[in-house]
Amino acid sequence: MPLNVIVGLQWGDEGKGKITDLLSKNSDYVIRYQGGNNSGHSIHINNRHFVLHLIPSGIIYSHVNCIIGPGVVIDPKSLIQEIKNLESFGINTDKIYLSNRAHVIMPYHRLLDKYQEESLGKMSIGTTHRGIGPAYADKIGRVGIRIVDLMNIDLFRIKLKKNIDFKNQIITKIYKGDPIFFESIYEEYIEYAKIISHRIIDAVYEIHNAFHKRKKILFEGAQAMLLDINYGTYPYVTTSSCSTGGVCTGAGVPPSFLKNFIGIAKAYTTRVGNGPFPTEIKGDESSLIREKGNEYGTTTNRPRRCGWLDLVSLKYSCMINGINHLIITKLDVLSTLKVIKVCIEYRYNGKIIKYFPANIENNNIEVVYIEFYGWEKEIYHIRNYENLPENCKKYLKFIENYLNIRILLISVGPERTQNIIKNKSFF
Ligand code: GDP
Ligand code: IMO
Ligand code: MG
Protein backbone atom coordinates (compact mmCIF):
# COMPACT_ATOMS: atom_id res chain seq x y z
CA MET A 1 0.00 0.00 0.00
CA PRO A 2 1.63 3.31 -1.05
CA LEU A 3 2.23 5.73 1.78
CA ASN A 4 1.05 9.33 1.63
CA VAL A 5 2.86 12.38 2.92
CA ILE A 6 1.33 15.80 3.58
CA VAL A 7 3.59 18.84 3.72
CA GLY A 8 3.06 22.58 3.84
CA LEU A 9 4.75 24.42 0.98
CA GLN A 10 4.94 27.92 2.44
CA TRP A 11 5.67 29.22 5.95
CA GLY A 12 3.13 27.06 7.77
CA ASP A 13 -0.59 27.29 8.56
CA GLU A 14 -1.60 26.23 5.05
CA GLY A 15 -4.45 24.14 6.47
CA LYS A 16 -2.53 20.89 6.95
CA GLY A 17 -4.70 19.98 9.95
CA LYS A 18 -7.92 20.26 7.95
CA ILE A 19 -6.54 18.20 5.05
CA THR A 20 -4.95 15.57 7.31
CA ASP A 21 -8.31 15.14 9.02
CA LEU A 22 -10.00 14.67 5.62
CA LEU A 23 -7.46 12.07 4.47
CA SER A 24 -7.60 10.31 7.85
CA LYS A 25 -11.01 8.88 7.04
CA ASN A 26 -9.22 6.41 4.74
CA SER A 27 -6.06 5.98 6.85
CA ASP A 28 -5.15 3.41 9.48
CA TYR A 29 -2.19 5.39 10.80
CA VAL A 30 -1.44 9.11 10.95
CA ILE A 31 2.13 9.88 11.98
CA ARG A 32 3.93 13.07 12.95
CA TYR A 33 7.64 12.87 12.05
CA GLN A 34 9.11 16.24 13.11
CA GLY A 35 8.52 19.42 15.08
CA GLY A 36 6.73 19.66 18.38
CA ASN A 37 4.00 21.68 20.01
CA ASN A 38 5.09 24.76 18.04
CA SER A 39 2.44 23.60 15.54
CA GLY A 40 -1.16 24.63 15.68
CA HIS A 41 -3.52 22.62 13.50
CA SER A 42 -7.21 23.59 13.39
CA ILE A 43 -10.06 21.29 12.48
CA HIS A 44 -13.67 22.47 12.18
CA ILE A 45 -16.46 19.90 12.21
CA ASN A 46 -20.10 21.02 12.52
CA ASN A 47 -19.35 24.07 14.65
CA ARG A 48 -16.90 22.14 16.81
CA HIS A 49 -13.36 23.51 16.67
CA PHE A 50 -10.38 21.31 17.58
CA VAL A 51 -6.86 22.67 17.92
CA LEU A 52 -3.99 20.20 17.87
CA HIS A 53 -0.36 20.98 18.64
CA LEU A 54 1.43 17.67 18.97
CA ILE A 55 -1.20 15.02 18.42
CA PRO A 56 -1.66 13.96 14.78
CA SER A 57 -4.74 15.40 13.11
CA GLY A 58 -6.12 11.88 12.52
CA ILE A 59 -7.29 11.71 16.13
CA ILE A 60 -10.86 12.85 15.43
CA TYR A 61 -11.52 9.51 13.68
CA SER A 62 -11.59 6.82 16.36
CA HIS A 63 -10.21 4.10 14.04
CA VAL A 64 -6.93 5.95 13.40
CA ASN A 65 -3.69 5.04 15.20
CA CYS A 66 -1.89 8.30 15.91
CA ILE A 67 1.86 8.06 16.33
CA ILE A 68 4.11 10.83 17.55
CA GLY A 69 7.23 9.68 15.77
CA PRO A 70 10.96 9.41 16.57
CA GLY A 71 11.84 12.76 14.96
CA VAL A 72 9.41 14.77 17.11
CA VAL A 73 10.28 16.66 20.30
CA ILE A 74 7.67 16.05 23.00
CA ASP A 75 6.73 18.41 25.81
CA PRO A 76 4.93 15.98 28.16
CA LYS A 77 3.17 18.74 30.07
CA SER A 78 1.66 20.16 26.92
CA LEU A 79 0.88 16.67 25.56
CA ILE A 80 -1.01 15.63 28.69
CA GLN A 81 -3.03 18.87 28.57
CA GLU A 82 -3.82 18.31 24.89
CA ILE A 83 -5.04 14.78 25.59
CA LYS A 84 -7.26 16.11 28.40
CA ASN A 85 -8.72 18.77 26.12
CA LEU A 86 -9.58 16.18 23.48
CA GLU A 87 -11.18 13.93 26.09
CA SER A 88 -13.30 16.84 27.31
CA PHE A 89 -14.69 16.99 23.74
CA GLY A 90 -15.52 13.28 23.95
CA ILE A 91 -12.68 12.22 21.63
CA ASN A 92 -11.24 8.75 22.24
CA THR A 93 -7.51 9.15 22.90
CA ASP A 94 -6.62 5.45 23.41
CA LYS A 95 -4.77 5.22 20.10
CA ILE A 96 -2.20 7.95 20.74
CA TYR A 97 1.29 6.42 20.81
CA LEU A 98 4.69 7.97 21.46
CA SER A 99 7.97 6.84 19.98
CA ASN A 100 10.51 5.79 22.58
CA ARG A 101 13.15 7.52 20.45
CA ALA A 102 11.48 10.95 20.47
CA HIS A 103 13.24 13.63 22.51
CA VAL A 104 11.76 15.35 25.55
CA ILE A 105 11.34 19.10 25.92
CA MET A 106 12.43 20.16 29.41
CA PRO A 107 11.62 23.41 31.27
CA TYR A 108 15.17 24.66 30.61
CA HIS A 109 14.56 24.38 26.86
CA ARG A 110 11.62 26.75 27.13
CA LEU A 111 13.66 29.11 29.30
CA LEU A 112 16.65 29.07 26.94
CA ASP A 113 14.34 29.67 23.96
CA LYS A 114 13.14 32.85 25.66
CA TYR A 115 16.64 34.00 26.66
CA GLN A 116 18.07 33.34 23.20
CA GLU A 117 15.29 35.29 21.55
CA GLU A 118 15.77 38.22 23.93
CA SER A 119 19.51 38.24 23.35
CA LEU A 120 19.03 38.36 19.56
CA GLY A 121 17.15 41.66 19.91
CA LYS A 122 16.18 42.94 16.45
CA MET A 123 17.47 39.75 14.87
CA SER A 124 15.17 37.51 16.93
CA ILE A 125 13.47 34.67 15.03
CA GLY A 126 10.06 35.24 16.57
CA THR A 127 9.87 31.65 17.86
CA THR A 128 6.85 30.19 19.58
CA HIS A 129 8.85 30.04 22.87
CA ARG A 130 8.00 26.36 23.20
CA GLY A 131 11.66 25.31 23.64
CA ILE A 132 11.78 23.58 20.26
CA GLY A 133 15.15 24.98 19.08
CA PRO A 134 17.03 24.27 22.34
CA ALA A 135 15.56 20.74 22.52
CA TYR A 136 16.74 19.92 18.98
CA ALA A 137 20.11 21.55 19.76
CA ASP A 138 20.55 19.14 22.69
CA LYS A 139 19.55 16.24 20.46
CA ILE A 140 22.21 17.14 17.89
CA GLY A 141 24.66 17.88 20.72
CA ARG A 142 24.02 14.33 22.01
CA VAL A 143 22.94 15.44 25.47
CA GLY A 144 19.19 15.25 24.88
CA ILE A 145 16.83 13.17 27.01
CA ARG A 146 14.66 10.73 25.12
CA ILE A 147 11.26 9.29 26.00
CA VAL A 148 12.95 5.92 26.57
CA ASP A 149 15.19 7.56 29.20
CA LEU A 150 12.12 8.58 31.24
CA MET A 151 11.45 4.87 31.69
CA ASN A 152 14.77 4.33 33.46
CA ILE A 153 14.67 6.42 36.62
CA ASP A 154 18.35 6.02 37.50
CA LEU A 155 19.60 6.89 34.03
CA PHE A 156 17.14 9.77 33.81
CA ARG A 157 18.42 11.13 37.14
CA ILE A 158 22.03 11.12 35.89
CA LYS A 159 21.23 12.68 32.52
CA LEU A 160 18.98 15.34 34.02
CA LYS A 161 21.51 16.26 36.69
CA LYS A 162 24.27 16.74 34.12
CA ASN A 163 22.00 18.82 31.90
CA ILE A 164 20.80 21.04 34.74
CA ASP A 165 24.32 21.65 36.03
CA PHE A 166 25.43 22.69 32.57
CA LYS A 167 22.34 24.72 31.73
CA ASN A 168 22.61 26.58 35.03
CA GLN A 169 26.05 27.80 33.99
CA ILE A 170 24.53 29.27 30.84
CA ILE A 171 21.45 30.63 32.60
CA THR A 172 23.31 32.34 35.43
CA LYS A 173 26.61 33.33 33.78
CA ILE A 174 25.54 34.25 30.25
CA TYR A 175 21.95 35.33 30.71
CA LYS A 176 22.30 36.46 34.36
CA GLY A 177 19.10 34.60 35.21
CA ASP A 178 18.06 32.63 38.29
CA PRO A 179 19.21 29.01 38.46
CA ILE A 180 16.77 26.15 38.00
CA PHE A 181 16.50 23.29 40.51
CA PHE A 182 17.00 19.63 39.83
CA GLU A 183 14.64 18.09 42.40
CA SER A 184 11.42 19.81 41.38
CA ILE A 185 12.01 19.13 37.66
CA TYR A 186 12.93 15.52 38.38
CA GLU A 187 9.77 14.96 40.45
CA GLU A 188 7.61 16.69 37.84
CA TYR A 189 8.92 14.53 34.97
CA ILE A 190 8.68 11.29 36.93
CA GLU A 191 4.98 12.05 37.33
CA TYR A 192 4.62 12.72 33.58
CA ALA A 193 6.44 9.47 32.84
CA LYS A 194 3.84 7.54 34.87
CA ILE A 195 0.99 9.22 33.00
CA ILE A 196 2.36 8.55 29.49
CA SER A 197 4.16 5.22 29.99
CA HIS A 198 1.36 3.05 28.53
CA ARG A 199 1.53 4.99 25.25
CA ILE A 200 5.24 4.46 24.60
CA ILE A 201 6.10 2.12 21.73
CA ASP A 202 8.92 1.28 19.39
CA ALA A 203 7.37 3.31 16.59
CA VAL A 204 9.88 2.19 13.98
CA TYR A 205 8.81 -1.47 14.25
CA GLU A 206 5.14 -0.52 14.56
CA ILE A 207 5.30 1.49 11.32
CA HIS A 208 7.21 -1.22 9.44
CA ASN A 209 4.81 -3.92 10.62
CA ALA A 210 1.87 -1.78 9.54
CA PHE A 211 3.46 -1.27 6.14
CA HIS A 212 3.94 -5.01 5.64
CA LYS A 213 0.33 -5.63 6.66
CA ARG A 214 -0.64 -3.20 3.87
CA LYS A 215 -2.14 -0.67 6.28
CA LYS A 216 -2.87 2.82 5.00
CA ILE A 217 -0.33 5.22 6.45
CA LEU A 218 -0.32 8.99 6.26
CA PHE A 219 2.57 11.18 7.43
CA GLU A 220 1.52 14.62 8.63
CA GLY A 221 4.09 17.38 8.21
CA ALA A 222 4.21 20.22 10.68
CA GLN A 223 5.52 23.73 10.01
CA ALA A 224 6.43 23.89 6.32
CA MET A 225 9.04 23.86 3.63
CA LEU A 226 10.18 27.48 3.94
CA LEU A 227 10.70 26.93 7.68
CA ASP A 228 12.79 23.80 7.05
CA ILE A 229 16.16 23.86 8.86
CA ASN A 230 18.10 23.02 5.67
CA TYR A 231 16.08 24.61 2.87
CA GLY A 232 14.02 27.34 4.50
CA THR A 233 14.83 31.01 4.97
CA TYR A 234 17.69 30.31 7.40
CA PRO A 235 18.14 31.46 10.15
CA TYR A 236 14.47 32.44 10.24
CA VAL A 237 13.31 28.84 10.31
CA THR A 238 12.29 26.18 12.76
CA THR A 239 14.78 23.51 13.82
CA SER A 240 13.50 20.36 12.11
CA SER A 241 13.33 18.84 8.62
CA CYS A 242 9.79 19.77 7.63
CA SER A 243 10.20 18.53 4.07
CA THR A 244 9.25 15.07 2.78
CA GLY A 245 12.86 13.98 3.31
CA GLY A 246 12.18 14.41 7.03
CA VAL A 247 9.79 11.44 6.89
CA CYS A 248 12.68 9.04 6.34
CA THR A 249 14.83 10.42 9.14
CA GLY A 250 11.95 11.27 11.45
CA ALA A 251 9.88 8.10 11.16
CA GLY A 252 12.51 5.52 10.23
CA VAL A 253 11.06 4.58 6.85
CA PRO A 254 13.06 4.17 3.62
CA PRO A 255 12.29 6.51 0.69
CA SER A 256 11.08 3.50 -1.34
CA PHE A 257 7.98 3.21 0.93
CA LEU A 258 6.73 6.65 -0.06
CA LYS A 259 4.60 7.33 -3.09
CA ASN A 260 2.20 10.28 -2.87
CA PHE A 261 3.66 13.61 -1.85
CA ILE A 262 0.79 15.98 -1.24
CA GLY A 263 1.79 19.63 -1.05
CA ILE A 264 -0.54 22.16 0.54
CA ALA A 265 -0.46 25.85 -0.29
CA LYS A 266 -2.78 28.69 0.53
CA ALA A 267 -4.12 30.67 -2.43
CA TYR A 268 -1.98 33.50 -1.02
CA THR A 269 0.89 33.50 1.49
CA THR A 270 1.24 34.09 5.22
CA ARG A 271 4.06 34.07 7.67
CA VAL A 272 4.06 34.29 11.44
CA GLY A 273 7.31 35.28 13.10
CA ASN A 274 10.22 37.21 11.63
CA GLY A 275 12.25 36.79 8.47
CA PRO A 276 12.13 37.54 4.75
CA PHE A 277 8.79 37.51 2.96
CA PRO A 278 9.16 38.89 -0.59
CA THR A 279 5.44 39.10 -1.46
CA GLU A 280 4.31 40.56 1.87
CA ILE A 281 1.58 43.21 1.46
CA LYS A 282 2.05 46.31 3.53
CA GLY A 283 -1.22 48.15 2.84
CA ASP A 284 -4.96 47.70 3.45
CA GLU A 285 -5.25 44.51 1.41
CA SER A 286 -3.12 42.81 4.04
CA SER A 287 -5.67 43.44 6.79
CA LEU A 288 -8.48 42.55 4.39
CA ILE A 289 -6.91 39.11 3.88
CA ARG A 290 -6.02 38.78 7.58
CA GLU A 291 -9.58 39.46 8.74
CA LYS A 292 -11.37 37.41 6.09
CA GLY A 293 -8.89 34.53 6.46
CA ASN A 294 -8.76 34.83 10.25
CA GLU A 295 -5.00 34.93 9.96
CA TYR A 296 -4.02 34.82 13.61
CA GLY A 297 -1.57 32.20 14.89
CA THR A 298 -3.21 29.02 16.17
CA THR A 299 -0.44 28.53 18.76
CA THR A 300 0.54 32.08 19.78
CA ASN A 301 -2.43 34.12 18.50
CA ARG A 302 -0.03 36.55 16.81
CA PRO A 303 -1.42 38.30 13.70
CA ARG A 304 0.02 36.53 10.65
CA ARG A 305 1.81 38.62 8.04
CA CYS A 306 -0.10 38.35 4.74
CA GLY A 307 1.03 38.52 1.13
CA TRP A 308 0.41 37.40 -2.44
CA LEU A 309 1.02 33.92 -3.77
CA ASP A 310 4.71 33.42 -4.55
CA LEU A 311 5.12 30.88 -7.34
CA VAL A 312 8.92 31.09 -7.35
CA SER A 313 9.14 29.85 -3.76
CA LEU A 314 6.29 27.41 -4.36
CA LYS A 315 8.12 25.83 -7.30
CA TYR A 316 11.23 25.51 -5.15
CA SER A 317 9.18 23.81 -2.42
CA CYS A 318 7.54 21.41 -4.88
CA MET A 319 10.95 20.55 -6.35
CA ILE A 320 12.59 19.68 -3.02
CA ASN A 321 9.57 17.78 -1.73
CA GLY A 322 8.88 15.88 -4.95
CA ILE A 323 5.28 17.04 -4.82
CA ASN A 324 3.05 15.06 -7.18
CA HIS A 325 -0.33 16.29 -5.90
CA LEU A 326 -1.29 19.82 -5.01
CA ILE A 327 -3.97 21.13 -2.65
CA ILE A 328 -4.94 24.80 -2.67
CA THR A 329 -6.61 26.09 0.50
CA LYS A 330 -8.37 29.29 1.52
CA LEU A 331 -9.35 30.25 -2.03
CA ASP A 332 -12.56 31.70 -0.55
CA VAL A 333 -10.51 34.36 1.25
CA LEU A 334 -9.68 36.09 -2.05
CA SER A 335 -13.33 36.33 -3.10
CA THR A 336 -13.82 40.05 -2.47
CA LEU A 337 -10.64 41.31 -4.14
CA LYS A 338 -10.83 43.21 -7.45
CA VAL A 339 -7.26 42.37 -8.44
CA ILE A 340 -5.13 39.43 -7.31
CA LYS A 341 -1.37 39.45 -7.76
CA VAL A 342 0.91 36.48 -8.24
CA CYS A 343 4.69 36.51 -8.09
CA ILE A 344 6.23 34.77 -11.10
CA GLU A 345 9.86 35.98 -10.96
CA TYR A 346 12.26 37.86 -8.73
CA ARG A 347 14.65 40.66 -9.61
CA TYR A 348 17.78 39.80 -7.65
CA ASN A 349 20.96 41.90 -7.84
CA GLY A 350 19.56 43.52 -10.99
CA LYS A 351 18.83 40.22 -12.79
CA ILE A 352 15.52 38.46 -13.40
CA ILE A 353 15.58 35.02 -11.79
CA LYS A 354 13.10 32.18 -11.32
CA TYR A 355 14.85 30.40 -8.47
CA PHE A 356 14.81 30.86 -4.70
CA PRO A 357 18.19 32.26 -3.58
CA ALA A 358 19.93 30.93 -0.46
CA ASN A 359 20.45 34.39 0.99
CA ILE A 360 17.02 35.81 0.32
CA GLU A 361 16.34 39.00 2.23
CA ASN A 362 13.65 41.62 1.90
CA ASN A 363 16.12 44.20 0.60
CA ASN A 364 17.84 42.11 -2.08
CA ILE A 365 14.71 40.88 -3.85
CA GLU A 366 12.15 42.74 -5.93
CA VAL A 367 9.07 40.84 -6.91
CA VAL A 368 7.71 40.62 -10.46
CA TYR A 369 3.94 40.14 -10.39
CA ILE A 370 1.27 39.36 -12.88
CA GLU A 371 -2.25 40.46 -12.09
CA PHE A 372 -5.53 38.55 -12.31
CA TYR A 373 -9.01 39.99 -12.23
CA GLY A 374 -10.76 38.84 -9.08
CA TRP A 375 -14.06 36.93 -9.24
CA GLU A 376 -15.69 39.23 -6.67
CA LYS A 377 -18.27 36.76 -5.43
CA GLU A 378 -18.36 34.27 -2.58
CA ILE A 379 -17.39 30.68 -3.41
CA TYR A 380 -17.50 28.97 0.02
CA HIS A 381 -20.71 27.10 -0.92
CA ILE A 382 -19.37 25.68 -4.22
CA ARG A 383 -18.55 21.94 -4.31
CA ASN A 384 -18.10 21.37 -8.03
CA TYR A 385 -15.13 22.72 -9.99
CA GLU A 386 -17.28 23.57 -13.01
CA ASN A 387 -19.38 25.93 -10.89
CA LEU A 388 -16.43 28.13 -9.90
CA PRO A 389 -16.37 31.60 -11.51
CA GLU A 390 -14.30 31.75 -14.72
CA ASN A 391 -11.69 34.12 -13.20
CA CYS A 392 -11.24 31.72 -10.34
CA LYS A 393 -10.61 28.82 -12.71
CA LYS A 394 -8.10 30.95 -14.63
CA TYR A 395 -6.21 31.60 -11.41
CA LEU A 396 -6.10 27.90 -10.53
CA LYS A 397 -5.11 26.85 -14.06
CA PHE A 398 -2.25 29.32 -14.01
CA ILE A 399 -0.93 27.83 -10.75
CA GLU A 400 -1.20 24.28 -12.10
CA ASN A 401 0.57 25.19 -15.33
CA TYR A 402 3.36 27.13 -13.64
CA LEU A 403 4.08 24.28 -11.21
CA ASN A 404 3.20 21.53 -13.67
CA ILE A 405 1.34 19.66 -10.92
CA ARG A 406 -2.36 18.82 -10.90
CA ILE A 407 -4.63 20.04 -8.14
CA LEU A 408 -6.22 17.30 -6.04
CA LEU A 409 -8.54 19.44 -3.97
CA ILE A 410 -9.48 23.07 -3.47
CA SER A 411 -10.52 24.12 0.01
CA VAL A 412 -13.09 26.92 0.18
CA GLY A 413 -13.74 27.17 3.91
CA PRO A 414 -12.56 25.83 7.28
CA GLU A 415 -15.33 23.21 7.62
CA ARG A 416 -14.56 19.58 6.89
CA THR A 417 -17.12 19.64 4.07
CA GLN A 418 -16.06 22.89 2.34
CA ASN A 419 -14.06 21.34 -0.48
CA ILE A 420 -14.00 20.98 -4.22
CA ILE A 421 -12.54 17.55 -4.85
CA LYS A 422 -10.88 17.17 -8.24
CA ASN A 423 -9.38 13.71 -7.77
CA LYS A 424 -11.80 11.50 -5.86
CA SER A 425 -9.44 8.52 -5.55
CA PHE A 426 -7.87 10.00 -2.41
CA PHE A 427 -11.07 10.81 -0.49
P1 GDP B 1 -2.03 24.23 9.68
O1 GDP B 1 -1.02 24.68 10.70
O2 GDP B 1 -1.43 24.06 8.34
O3 GDP B 1 -2.81 23.01 10.12
O4 GDP B 1 -3.06 25.41 9.55
P2 GDP B 1 -3.79 26.19 10.77
O5 GDP B 1 -4.87 25.33 11.27
O6 GDP B 1 -2.79 26.73 11.73
O7 GDP B 1 -4.31 27.46 10.00
C1 GDP B 1 -5.22 27.36 8.95
C2 GDP B 1 -6.49 28.13 9.33
O8 GDP B 1 -7.30 28.28 8.20
C3 GDP B 1 -7.33 27.38 10.35
O9 GDP B 1 -8.01 28.30 11.15
C4 GDP B 1 -8.32 26.61 9.47
O10 GDP B 1 -9.54 26.33 10.12
C5 GDP B 1 -8.54 27.60 8.37
N1 GDP B 1 -8.83 27.04 7.05
C6 GDP B 1 -8.36 25.88 6.48
N2 GDP B 1 -8.79 25.78 5.20
C7 GDP B 1 -9.52 26.88 4.96
C8 GDP B 1 -10.21 27.36 3.81
O11 GDP B 1 -10.19 26.78 2.73
N3 GDP B 1 -10.85 28.57 3.93
C9 GDP B 1 -10.85 29.28 5.09
N4 GDP B 1 -11.50 30.43 5.12
N5 GDP B 1 -10.24 28.84 6.21
C10 GDP B 1 -9.56 27.68 6.13
P1 IMO C 1 2.16 24.78 11.81
O1 IMO C 1 2.45 23.31 11.94
C1 IMO C 1 3.69 28.82 11.35
C2 IMO C 1 7.60 29.64 13.12
C3 IMO C 1 7.66 30.58 14.31
C4 IMO C 1 9.03 31.18 14.08
C5 IMO C 1 9.85 30.01 13.57
C6 IMO C 1 10.68 29.31 14.63
O2 IMO C 1 0.97 25.24 12.56
O3 IMO C 1 2.16 25.19 10.36
P2 IMO C 1 10.04 27.70 16.65
O4 IMO C 1 9.16 27.93 17.84
O5 IMO C 1 9.64 26.56 15.79
O6 IMO C 1 11.50 27.65 17.00
O7 IMO C 1 9.88 29.05 15.77
O8 IMO C 1 8.92 29.10 13.02
N1 IMO C 1 6.67 28.50 13.29
C7 IMO C 1 5.51 28.39 12.66
N2 IMO C 1 4.87 29.25 11.84
N3 IMO C 1 3.16 27.61 11.61
C8 IMO C 1 3.80 26.73 12.41
O9 IMO C 1 3.39 25.46 12.57
C9 IMO C 1 5.02 27.12 13.01
N4 IMO C 1 5.88 26.53 13.86
C10 IMO C 1 6.91 27.38 14.01
O10 IMO C 1 6.65 31.55 14.25
O11 IMO C 1 8.99 32.15 13.05
MG1 MG D 1 -0.81 26.15 12.15
Side-chain angles (χ1 to χ4, degrees):
M1 192 60 66
L3 309 196
N4 299 335
V5 185
I6 283 185
V7 287
L9 299 175
Q10 295 158 317
W11 279 288
D13 306 322
E14 294 88 353
K16 300 177 292 294
K18 172 183 166 168
I19 304 300
T20 302
D21 168 66
L22 274 180
L23 286 167
S24 295
K25 190 176 171 197
N26 294 329
S27 302
D28 300 305
Y29 284 80
V30 178
I31 301 166
R32 279 276 307 267
Y33 57 92
Q34 47 69 233
N37 60 326
N38 45 349
S39 304
H41 300 163
S42 289
I43 302 173
H44 293 255
I45 304 166
N46 297 330
N47 297 326
R48 290 200 304 168
H49 181 195
F50 303 95
V51 176
L52 300 165
H53 296 289
L54 194 59
I55 297 170
S57 305
I59 191 65
I60 314 300
Y61 284 104
S62 58
H63 71 274
V64 176
N65 294 288
C66 291
I67 299 184
I68 300 175
V72 176
V73 286
I74 298 179
D75 184 331
K77 185 179 182 184
S78 161
L79 172 69
I80 292 165
Q81 188 54 49
E82 200 174 323
I83 292 174
K84 276 193 189 144
N85 287 350
L86 284 171
E87 286 172 350
S88 73
F89 273 103
I91 301 293
N92 183 337
T93 61
D94 291 350
K95 290 186 179 156
I96 297 172
Y97 302 104
L98 319 177
S99 163
N100 52 3
R101 290 182 171 83
H103 277 245
V104 183
I105 298 182
M106 307 298 298
Y108 48 79
H109 292 135
R110 290 192 297 267
L111 192 62
L112 288 170
D113 196 350
K114 179 175 143 292
Y115 281 137
Q116 279 175 15
E117 280 288 89
E118 281 167 8
S119 74
L120 281 169
K122 278 192 184 153
M123 288 171 74
S124 72
I125 311 295
T127 73
T128 57
H129 285 197
R130 299 293 188 269
I132 308 294
Y136 275 115
D138 275 0
K139 172 179 176 171
I140 298 296
R142 295 170 295 185
V143 292
I145 293 173
R146 296 186 301 166
I147 289 286
V148 69
D149 300 328
L150 291 181
M151 297 296 107
N152 179 339
I153 292 184
D154 296 331
L155 183 67
F156 174 54
R157 176 176 268 279
I158 296 167
K159 288 194 172 187
L160 183 66
K161 184 88 183 58
K162 271 209 174 307
N163 264 292
I164 289 188
D165 287 348
F166 185 69
K167 261 57 176 196
N168 267 338
Q169 299 282 326
I170 302 173
I171 291 167
T172 57
K173 294 196 177 140
I174 297 180
Y175 295 118
K176 311 288 179 219
D178 295 330
I180 49 170
F181 296 104
F182 169 80
E183 277 306 330
S184 56
I185 296 176
Y186 177 74
E187 297 299 333
E188 183 187 343
Y189 274 69
I190 289 298
E191 280 312 302
Y192 296 150
K194 285 183 200 151
I195 300 172
I196 61 174
S197 63
H198 66 288
R199 299 184 185 274
I200 301 173
I201 58 166
D202 191 317
V204 176
Y205 281 98
E206 178 72 24
I207 296 167
H208 278 255
N209 287 337
F211 177 77
H212 292 299
K213 285 184 191 151
R214 302 184 60 74
K215 299 286 182 196
K216 294 181 201 129
I217 302 176
L218 172 65
F219 293 96
E220 177 186 23
Q223 289 76 54
M225 177 57 211
L226 299 177
L227 289 169
D228 181 279
I229 184 72
N230 290 300
Y231 305 106
T233 46
Y234 191 90
Y236 298 96
V237 292
T238 189
T239 41
S240 61
S241 295
C242 317
S243 56
T244 51
V247 176
C248 299
T249 53
V253 297
S256 56
F257 279 18
L258 308 174
K259 168 109 187 274
N260 297 307
F261 302 99
I262 304 167
I264 309 194
K266 282 182 192 179
Y268 49 95
T269 313
T270 62
R271 175 162 205 173
V272 54
N274 303 329
F277 182 176
T279 60
E280 182 167 14
I281 305 170
K282 295 285 195 271
D284 290 347
E285 272 156 332
S286 172
S287 38
L288 236 135
I289 292 177
R290 183 173 306 111
E291 295 317 311
K292 192 159 167 65
N294 190 24
E295 295 296 358
Y296 292 89
T298 312
T299 298
T300 55
N301 210 27
R302 289 175 289 179
R304 295 177 184 144
R305 299 156 66 192
C306 298
W308 302 114
L309 189 69
D310 180 348
L311 287 177
V312 179
S313 66
L314 216 51
K315 190 144 187 143
Y316 167 77
S317 293
C318 290
M319 174 180 87
I320 290 179
N321 285 292
I323 298 303
N324 43 21
H325 303 278
L326 189 65
I327 289 184
I328 299 291
T329 60
K330 304 196 92 160
L331 190 62
D332 54 301
V333 175
L334 302 182
S335 291
T336 52
L337 300 178
K338 281 193 181 349
V339 172
I340 298 167
K341 293 188 192 181
V342 177
C343 161
I344 51 160
E345 297 169 333
Y346 296 147
R347 192 170 289 117
Y348 173 66
N349 295 333
K351 275 201 204 129
I352 293 288
I353 59 164
K354 282 196 177 200
Y355 66 88
F356 196 72
N359 64 342
I360 198 158
E361 281 170 35
N362 280 337
N363 60 10
N364 64 8
I365 284 285
E366 269 177 67
V367 179
V368 180
Y369 288 113
I370 62 163
E371 294 188 351
F372 286 82
Y373 289 113
W375 42 95
E376 296 185 73
K377 55 171 100 128
E378 295 297 348
I379 56 167
Y380 58 82
H381 54 283
I382 296 179
R383 299 289 172 269
N384 188 330
Y385 182 79
E386 294 315 316
N387 296 341
L388 280 172
E390 278 313 308
N391 285 350
C392 196
K393 284 192 242 177
K394 274 187 197 159
Y395 186 66
L396 294 169
K397 265 265 150 273
F398 187 83
I399 298 170
E400 277 191 325
N401 288 341
Y402 189 103
L403 300 175
N404 197 20
I405 303 171
R406 297 283 77 85
I407 295 175
L408 201 63
L409 177 144
I410 301 143
S411 170
V412 291
E415 263 292 322
R416 201 186 239 178
T417 50
Q418 287 182 296
N419 308 301
I420 297 168
I421 297 175
K422 287 193 78 190
N423 179 345
K424 291 206 165 47
S425 61
F426 278 82
F427 299 93

mmCIF file of all heavy atoms in Angstrom, residues 3 129 141 217:
data_model
loop_
_atom_site.group_PDB
_atom_site.id
_atom_site.type_symbol
_atom_site.label_atom_id
_atom_site.label_comp_id
_atom_site.label_asym_id
_atom_site.label_seq_id
_atom_site.Cartn_x
_atom_site.Cartn_y
_atom_site.Cartn_z
ATOM 1 N N LEU A 3 2.406 4.836 0.644
ATOM 2 C CA LEU A 3 2.225 5.734 1.782
ATOM 3 C C LEU A 3 2.097 7.177 1.287
ATOM 4 O O LEU A 3 2.715 7.565 0.300
ATOM 5 C CB LEU A 3 3.412 5.609 2.740
ATOM 6 C CG LEU A 3 3.810 4.205 3.196
ATOM 7 C CD1 LEU A 3 4.714 4.284 4.412
ATOM 8 C CD2 LEU A 3 2.608 3.342 3.516
ATOM 9 N N HIS A 129 8.425 30.154 21.453
ATOM 10 C CA HIS A 129 8.855 30.045 22.872
ATOM 11 C C HIS A 129 8.477 28.696 23.483
ATOM 12 O O HIS A 129 8.268 28.608 24.692
ATOM 13 C CB HIS A 129 8.264 31.185 23.720
ATOM 14 C CG HIS A 129 8.939 32.495 23.493
ATOM 15 N ND1 HIS A 129 8.834 33.556 24.360
ATOM 16 C CD2 HIS A 129 9.727 32.930 22.487
ATOM 17 C CE1 HIS A 129 9.528 34.581 23.892
ATOM 18 N NE2 HIS A 129 10.070 34.224 22.746
ATOM 19 N N GLY A 141 23.481 17.826 19.847
ATOM 20 C CA GLY A 141 24.660 17.883 20.716
ATOM 21 C C GLY A 141 24.856 16.618 21.548
ATOM 22 O O GLY A 141 25.778 16.540 22.354
ATOM 23 N N ILE A 217 -1.125 4.373 5.550
ATOM 24 C CA ILE A 217 -0.333 5.221 6.445
ATOM 25 C C ILE A 217 -0.194 6.621 5.846
ATOM 26 O O ILE A 217 0.119 6.765 4.662
ATOM 27 C CB ILE A 217 1.065 4.600 6.677
ATOM 28 C CG1 ILE A 217 0.913 3.185 7.267
ATOM 29 C CG2 ILE A 217 1.915 5.483 7.580
ATOM 30 C CD1 ILE A 217 2.220 2.431 7.442
#
